[in-house]
């Protein structure tokens, strides 16, 4: 499986990550017909180096805005300023929607490393992470 995502969104997402470094950035990506076309920057209310949380009010607004634009929320992205582009234990506790794609922008190296994952939940106990795509910048 692969995902379609516009170059502009990839740029916006990596720029957001760089602008907030060393704090983790986060946001939603939306699109239609299987292609991600639109980025929604979100506030990381944790304001942390190693985890993030959305502001529920802002989240509600984005859900509304996306719907009004005829877009579907397809992915949640966040950055790992100092660590690899892998979902952390902390991430897995919070990110558990099997219908979402989870994208991580790692800034650990000079070149940003962007990877997309899906959570596959066969049962409460049996949860695996699947690498969906390595996104070229
Ligand atoms: Zn993370």
């Amino acid at each position: 499986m692969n995902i379609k995502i516009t170059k502009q969104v990839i740029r916006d997402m990596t720029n957001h990550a760089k602008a907030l470094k060393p704090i983790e950035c986060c946001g939603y990506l939306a699109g239609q017909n299987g292609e991600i076309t639109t980025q929604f920057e979100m506030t990381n209310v944790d304001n942390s180096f190693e985890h993030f949380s959305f502001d529920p009010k802002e989240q509600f607004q984005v859900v509304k805005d996306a719907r009004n634009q005829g877009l579907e929320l397809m992915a949640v992205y966040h950055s790992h300023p100092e660590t690899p582009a892998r979902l952390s234990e902390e991430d897995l506790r919070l990110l558990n929607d099997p219908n979402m794609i989870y994208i991580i922008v790692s800034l650990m190296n000079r070149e940003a490393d962007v990877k997309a994952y899906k959570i596959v939940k066969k049962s409460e106990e049996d949860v695996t992470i699947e690498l969906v795509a390595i996104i070229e910048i």
Side-chain angles (χ1 to χ4, degrees), residues 6-25:
T6 64
K7 288 275 170 214
Q8 186 60 53
V9 169
I10 297 169
R11 253 194 311 270
D12 290 346
M13 193 168 54
T14 44
N15 284 342
H16 187 203
K18 285 175 184 165
L20 253 70
K21 193 182 172 174
I23 300 293
E24 281 196 13
C25 77

Side-chain angles (χ1 to χ4, degrees), residues 98-109:
N99 299 314
M100 270 290 167
I101 291 167
Y102 293 109
I103 297 178
I104 300 181
V105 180
S106 166
L107 299 177
M108 192 175 80
N109 299 312

Side-chain angles (χ1 to χ4, degrees), residues 20-84:
L20 253 70
K21 193 182 172 174
I23 300 293
E24 281 196 13
C25 77
C26 57
Y28 273 111
L29 302 180
Q32 50 192 336
N33 305 322
E35 186 178 28
I36 293 172
T37 55
T38 309
Q39 175 224 32
F40 293 97
E41 286 191 10
M42 302 280 287
T43 309
N44 177 2
V45 291
D46 291 348
N47 204 32
S48 160
F49 303 143
E50 48 192 18
H51 50 88
F52 75 96
S53 297
F54 288 151
D55 170 3
K57 261 196 202 154
E58 215 177 45
Q59 199 172 7
F60 182 74
Q61 191 59 48
V62 166
V63 170
K64 232 168 83 178
D65 288 351
R67 197 187 307 135
N68 288 341
Q69 293 173 44
L71 301 171
E72 183 195 344
L73 292 180
M74 295 168 68
V76 168
Y77 73 89
H78 72 283
S79 65
H80 282 179
E82 307 283 355
T83 53

